[in-house]
């Protein structure tokens, strides 16, 4: 009994770190909690006396569990979490929206969206090395690669995260102000604010997947487009989309749709709403530079 109590105390001392690792890999508090719980189950079944570095051992276990979850997502091409199947009775996962929002703000929602676009092994290598300073010699067996190959995985991920903007910093900064005003007006239901940033002849086009989500395939004119966004965009955030400023909607960091924007002066001239999984996968999403 004393041994079990000691083991639980040791695990609790590492729990916060493990949850941070899992969340940055998965972008979901529910799945991160599942990964940490699985690490505890494996520890409780293992001979802890033979583990020299418990923190490193637990981090490795959590990373491998997260990698399995990421690979499962890719193979199933999961829908975003808002539409995921209901859990089996007795295994309900409780999601705390405030906790999700706090973690997303701390990590950066745009970063989570970019991480979601990475291959599972790239994401794991990048998170473990660049965010938690794990050496590639320890990352290699987790992702099933050599240390050199693990380094290449992280390098590719790093280039994707940093992004190479196709528009100038001045353009991005100017457009950012327009997009911020657009999203603020949409969230608050401010029609006048929306009309102030939309070109009178603005057009909106949604692909089939996006139309199924919102029920609208095409709109034209500032009044119609503004009415469509009024009271919405609660989970929308600015991001670089193929090097230009756009908008991503990503509940808990899981990409749902993207708004490709074009501008005419200081107004939005067109909005292309993308939700098709194949099109989303082909987009180059990057975090925004500090303004």
């Amino acid at each position: 009994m004393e041994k079990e109590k000691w083991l639980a105390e040791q695990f609790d001392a590492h729990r916060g770190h493990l949850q941070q690792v899992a969340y940055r890999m998965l972008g979901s508090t529910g799945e991160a909690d599942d990964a940490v719980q699985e690490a505890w189950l494996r520890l409780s079944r293992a001979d802890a006396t033979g583990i020299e570095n418990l923190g490193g051992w637990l981090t490795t276990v959590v990373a491998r569990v997260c990698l399995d979850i990421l690979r499962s997502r890719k193979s199933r091409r999961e829908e975003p979490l808002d539409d995921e199947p209901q859990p089996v009775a007795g295994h309900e996962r409780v999601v705390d929206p405030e906790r999700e929002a706090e973690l997303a703000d701390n990590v950066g929602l745009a970063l989570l969206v970019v991480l979601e676009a990475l291959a599972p092994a790239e994401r794991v290598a990048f998170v473990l090395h660049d965010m938690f300073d794990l050496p590639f010699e320890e990352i290699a067996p987790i992702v099933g690669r050599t240390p050199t190959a693990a380094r290449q995985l992280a390098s590719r991920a790093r280039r994707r995260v940093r992004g190479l903007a196709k528009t100038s910093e001045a353009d991005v900064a100017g457009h950012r102000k327009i997009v911020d005003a657009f999203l603020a007006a949409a969230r608050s239901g401010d029609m006048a604010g929306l009309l102030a940033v939309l070109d009178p002849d603005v057009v909106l086009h949604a692909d089939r997947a996006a139309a199924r989500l919102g029920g609208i395939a095409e709109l034209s004119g500032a009044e119609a487009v503004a009415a469509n966004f009024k009271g919405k965009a609660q989970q929308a955030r600015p991001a670089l989309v193929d090097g230009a400023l756009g908008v991503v909607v990503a509940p808990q960091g899981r990409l749902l749709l993207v708004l490709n924007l074009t501008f005419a002066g200081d107004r939005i001239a067109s909005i292309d709403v993308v939700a098709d999984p194949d099109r989303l996968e082909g987009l180059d999403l990057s975090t925004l530079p500090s303004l």
Side-chain angles (χ1 to χ4, degrees):
M1 199 67 177
E2 287 297 322
K3 180 182 177 181
E4 292 179 1
K5 181 180 179 182
W6 176 85
L7 198 61
E9 290 174 349
Q10 293 299 308
F11 182 81
D12 283 340
H14 294 283
R15 184 186 296 273
H17 168 76
L18 298 176
Q19 288 177 328
Q20 290 181 28
V21 171
Y23 181 74
R24 281 160 176 75
M25 288 191 187
L26 300 171
S28 159
T29 55
E31 288 181 324
D33 288 343
D34 289 348
V36 172
Q37 180 64 20
E38 177 62 24
W40 164 247
L41 293 175
R42 295 189 188 186
L43 177 62
S44 64
R45 295 193 295 262
D47 180 9
T49 59
I51 302 174
E52 295 183 3
N53 180 356
L54 183 59
W57 188 90
L58 288 169
T59 299
T60 297
V61 171
V62 166
R64 285 175 172 161
V65 172
C66 290
L67 182 58
D68 288 342
I69 293 173
L70 291 170
R71 285 172 172 164
S72 178
R73 279 187 197 168
K74 292 293 184 181
S75 64
R76 295 199 310 268
R77 301 187 67 85
E78 284 184 347
E79 295 297 321
L81 290 182
D82 283 359
D83 302 317
E84 68 179 355
Q86 293 300 312
V88 177
H91 298 275
E92 289 79 6
R93 179 185 296 150
V94 178
V95 176
D96 182 344
E98 290 186 5
R99 183 182 172 210
E100 290 282 357
E102 180 182 356
L103 284 170
D105 286 341
N106 289 339
V107 177
L109 182 62
L111 175 59
L112 288 176
V113 172
V114 177
L115 290 177
E116 182 67 17
L118 300 176
E122 289 177 342
R123 182 167 183 167
V124 169
F126 174 79
V127 168
L128 290 178
H129 181 266
D130 285 45
M131 295 185 176
F132 294 98
D133 297 320
L134 209 66
F136 289 113
E137 288 74 18
E138 295 181 30
I139 296 172
I142 296 174
V143 296
R145 309 287 179 91
T146 65
T148 299
R151 184 186 299 275
Q152 292 172 344
L153 287 173
S155 179
R156 286 202 301 268
R158 194 177 304 117
R159 288 196 299 270
R160 188 74 177 271
V161 169
R162 289 175 178 172
L164 295 174
K166 296 176 183 176
T167 53
S168 70
E169 291 186 6
D171 284 340
V172 170
H175 293 165
R176 175 69 181 271
K177 294 178 182 178
I178 301 170
V179 172
D180 284 345
F182 168 72
L183 293 177
R187 292 173 189 140
S188 64
D190 179 6
M191 276 294 287
L194 284 166
L195 292 173
V197 295
L198 293 174
D199 186 88
D201 298 319
V202 62
V203 293
L204 177 146
H205 177 268
D207 64 21
R208 290 184 180 181
R212 284 196 296 270
L213 291 173
I216 296 175
E218 291 187 7
L219 286 173
S220 60
E223 290 279 352
V225 173
N228 180 66
F229 283 101
K230 183 180 178 182
K232 299 180 181 179
Q234 301 302 320
Q235 300 185 80
R237 298 291 185 275
L240 288 176
V241 181
D242 287 337
L245 195 64
V247 173
V248 298
V249 178
Q252 301 172 355
R254 305 281 293 279
L255 188 60
L256 176 62
L257 56 84
V258 165
L259 307 184
N260 286 313
L261 307 175
T262 58
F263 299 86
D266 59 355
R267 299 195 178 202
I268 298 171
S270 70
I271 303 173
D272 181 26
V273 188
V274 179
D276 179 81
D278 290 329
R279 290 185 65 193
L280 290 177
E281 193 170 315
L283 294 175
D284 184 2
L285 303 177
S286 305
T287 52
L288 281 167
S290 298
L291 298 180

